[in-house]
Amino acid sequence: MDIQKETSKIKSMIEEDKKSVKTIQELNELKVKYMGKKGIISELNSKIKDVPNEEKKTFGMKVNEVRTLFNDFYDAKKEEIENKVLNEKLEKERIDITMPSKKIKRGSKHPMTRIEEKFEDLFLSMGYTIYDGPEIESDENCFQKLNLPKGHAARDAQDTFYLKDEFENYLLRSQTSTAQVRAMEENKDKGPLRIVCPGKVYRRDEDATHSHQFMQIEGLVIDENVSMADLKGTLELFCKAILGEKTKVRFRPSYFPFTEPSVEVDVTCFKCGGKGCALCKQTGWIEVLGAGMVHPNVLEMSGYDSKKYQGFAFGTGIDRFAMFKYGITDIRTIYGNDIRFLTQFDRKDDE
Amino acid sequence: MLLSRNFVSDYIDLPKDLTIEQIAEDMTSVGNEYDDAGKLINCTKLVVGQILEAYDHPDSDHLHVCKVDVGNEVLNIVCGAPNVKEGLKVVVALPGAKLPGGEIKKGMIRGIESNGMLCAKSELGLDNKFLEEKDKTGIHELDDDAKIGTDAIKALGLDDEVIDFELTSNRGDLLSVLGMAYELGAIYKKNVKDIDLEYKTVKENVKDEFSIDIKTDDCTLFLAKKVKNVTIKESPDFIKERLIASGIRPINNVVDISNYVMLETGQPLHYYDANSLGEKLIVRNANDGEKLTTLDGIQRTLSKDDIVIADPNKAIGLAGVMGGLSTEVEETTKDIIIESAIFDKVKIRKTSKKILRSEASNRFEKGLDPKRTYMAMERSCALLQKYANAQVLDGLVEYNKITMEDKEINLRFSKVESVLGIKIDRDKIIDILKSLGFKVEDKKDYLTVVVPTRRLDISIEEDLIEEVGRMYGMDNIEGKLPLLKVINTHFDKTKREIKNKLIDLGLNETLSYSLIPNSEVHKFTNEEFTEITLNDPMSEDRNTLRYSLLYSLKEIYSYNKSRNNSDISIFEVGKGFYKENDEYKEDLKLAVLMTGDYYLDVNKTKVDFYIIKGVLEELLDFLGYKDRYSLVVDDIPKEFHPGQSASIIMQGKKIGVIGKMHPSVIKDNVYAFEINLEKLLVNRASKMVFKEIPKYPSVRKDVAFIVDKDVTVKEVMDVIKKSAGRLLSKQELFDVYTGENVKDNEKSLAFALYFSDESKTLTEEEVMECFNKIIKNVEEKLDAKVRDN
């Protein structure tokens, strides 16, 4: 038997068969035809036993040649057909990616809470403790111990809600400054103190910029050597963190009964950056905080030695910052809770 | 406080080139804020003109055509005022003039050229209270001596500039022109000029004719003097002009002088008609219920907190607030008793809050300088003599219980530095204090500062430091960060975590008012409590502090519903208030309200009980309370659906309520829950410990039971759990079926049961043994049948 001739014949058969294969099924039929138990190549290979020993090697090589030829063809063709089938299938699965998405809808955090948390985080990072005082307060804590005795003219600025049948002894706190008193009284060792107190406050007042309920945050630092300069540095850091690095801070002398000296704190207008616009009444500045050095009477009334300790305190409205930050012009929107208002705050803040 | 530039310039020479705006800014930088600063009359191109000729407009029944000499030319002006006549000196707004009503332009009026406007006083922007009827109906008639072509505002005596200050309540001393002069003097380094207190007295002594009796501690200083034979007439121009610029309406020379002196010195005065007053004046507290008719003709009922001026029989005036009708100075008044006094500022504040806040009461409330009380009396006599021909009686009726001493305060240089945080030169400090009119003695380490009595706001070292700081410029302080010990601050984030979890679940946070109507405070709860109400609420809708937050959420729901927002998932964390054993309590609460579509995974689903229950469970499990709470159908408030609501029980204690709102409260399907967070958070969260991941596979077996309709899922699951023992790793309800093949009073509950063992793969026999035991127990204990189709 001329193995050369046999394999050439098989080779040309394979070449011929190759042309007509279209499907996996046809391919597999070819595999049976050549590689099956009774297949052409298998049949040829079984004749090796009749080949003289010295030719067995050549015979085997030749058979392997056609076997490899077929297998290579088979693998290549199989991949080709499978790819084609897959691509056809994928093409059929084509979708319209502009259709509406299926969302897992997250809720939203109230803008006031967002600002409150921002403030808290900032002061926490500076080593302050968050102090949470009650909303019902005594007149003593809210006013008297802040150097505002009954009948004091400065009480006019805060028209207060007193509770029924209490002869003006209990009230809804009109300022978070009252937290100063509580924190100092509760601090048994009358030593250094560093707190901020955010929370609701109440005043008899209601219009587009005033709500009878609003939120303030009060800060208090007591130590042996804190000064107005420390207060200014702290507030500069605070205002920059909240309103942006370019914000400038200005101290203006003012008067609060519980601080001496007292200042009002202006920041460069967030809208115009200080150039002057309608929001800042062309001044370039907006008043945002009241602050000062804790009045020695206030320290003494809460048991602190005013000869040893000094302190600074500051307070600001959270509503104001929320309104500035998000461009809300009517405070009633904040407390209106329209779902179309609330759901706007469903994302991370821009910084 | 309105400050007139002309007025204050009587006492201090302000640099001429300084604009009024700059003065206002400079005052602001030392702590005296202002609202507005500018010209008293904000008009341009107003000149004095004279009407040369006036005749009726041919085409109108009321217009006149005037030829007006304005100095350099004669203008043709059409004017509608009835009082135009030839020869009249008038205020002419030239073409291009700016008035509060707009700009004046040349134009044709019914065919006749008009090159300007003849002005009425009411057209210049003057406050209504300064206008008489004729100022509104006709053009202003200037005095004959007004010079044609000159500035008409000058001719009107209104050429002044004004700053409207918003002063802090501690600076009562600035409610006077003199006080302002001292403050401006400190800024611009100018001396304050002396005030003219010169007058002659007649021989008669007031003490022979008049006496006082002070019967209350609320009056610490009372001075009285008498003047005779005053001539009541119009005030001289300068007084009227200064009063108008200061916002006070001129009346007659006597009344005007009392106001003028008050403006100058800050000391309110009261002038009585001496003849209707009698010989004795008493100061006392009013009797409760005492009646008095005040100047405005209103009868007031007084209390013992009010201070009254009285004759031996009755009250004749409310001290510091308003005089009485019977002793008022009138056109016919001849003799006057002048009162200059100090009353208790707290009492005055109370009375004036009740009756009337006036220029006088405002000054009494802020506190007065006793030296000015004397000065005002002297100044009053001087002016009354000069401008009302008064004869001043000798002597002074005087009651004085007040200290007149200047205060001496030591100021340490070291303290200035430690409080302000900057070093200021000692010379600079001394300079500042002296510029404020304080006497300063240098004692090396400290200064002894003598503060005049007018500065009532200064009493301690820190007050002086503030003076130094504000004149040095608070803003010149360089900010630095405090050097403080590092401390470990603890912050409980639970409230935030609760909020964040609910937001993750698709809920929106609200912020509503704590004050609600009293009629609503006991709703949505069965708890008994005493509510807290306000003494003086703004409205009935906000007179009580809320106990439950659910009323607020219901209101938010209604608000949104009326705006066609029907998918609402909201929550709020806030306090509920109540009174217990005479103590005020505040409990932190969480309330959730859900209605309409809810986004569950990726599908919209209508909110039902099971969704809100899911929110509750997600939250409680997240907080570490898994398997420690339960819902019990008991004690349901009447605002909830009795068949779709439950109490939330935690470790045997009720912590809240969950369910559907009763249709009598809301017709829609609205679900809500409320938890008392104080009661919840006293329970510690379970420990979070890693549990080994099962190594061996679990086997699932499904079974459906037909049970009576009233048997709850929880009952079935409890029996399954008890029967299975440790091999049952999980059970899930996957179908509830009623309908064909199930009787009307029954239901089918299908469960998937998962069996596994931590130590080995379970054999079919082991699983089946357990499974069959479960089936047997459920069938026996709950009268159930396994459903086989």
Side-chain angles (χ1 to χ4, degrees), chain B residues 689-728:
Chain B
V689 185
F690 168 70
K691 219 169 108 189
E692 204 64 49
I693 296 160
K695 289 196 187 78
Y696 304 96
S698 65
V699 178
R700 171 175 167 163
K701 294 277 174 199
D702 290 356
V703 60
F705 293 108
I706 292 173
V707 293
D708 189 275
K709 262 215 164 110
D710 290 337
V711 174
T712 65
V713 171
K714 186 170 186 298
E715 285 175 279
V716 180
M717 290 177 90
D718 284 349
V719 174
I720 291 173
K721 198 173 175 199
K722 260 194 170 156
S723 319
R726 60 175 189 90
L727 293 188
L728 182 75

Side-chain angles (χ1 to χ4, degrees), chain B residues 220-258:
Chain B
T220 46
L221 178 58
F222 197 102
L223 307 175
K225 246 176 127 59
K226 188 170 179 179
V227 299
K228 283 188 170 168
N229 296 317
V230 294
T231 315
I232 294 194
K233 56 184 179 189
E234 217 177 295
S235 286
D237 287 346
F238 83 93
I239 289 183
K240 284 194 289 183
E241 290 161 11
R242 279 159 175 62
L243 287 184
I244 288 174
S246 308
I248 293 179
R249 186 166 65 95
I251 298 184
N252 60 45
N253 56 345
V254 171
V255 175
D256 291 353
I257 285 169
S258 79

Side-chain angles (χ1 to χ4, degrees), chain B residues 609-627:
Chain B
F609 179 84
Y610 303 108
I611 285 185
I612 197 158
K613 182 184 170 191
V615 170
L616 173 72
E617 289 180 351
E618 264 294 298
L619 178 70
L620 294 180
D621 292 353
F622 169 77
L623 292 172
Y625 301 126
K626 196 173 167 65
D627 300 330

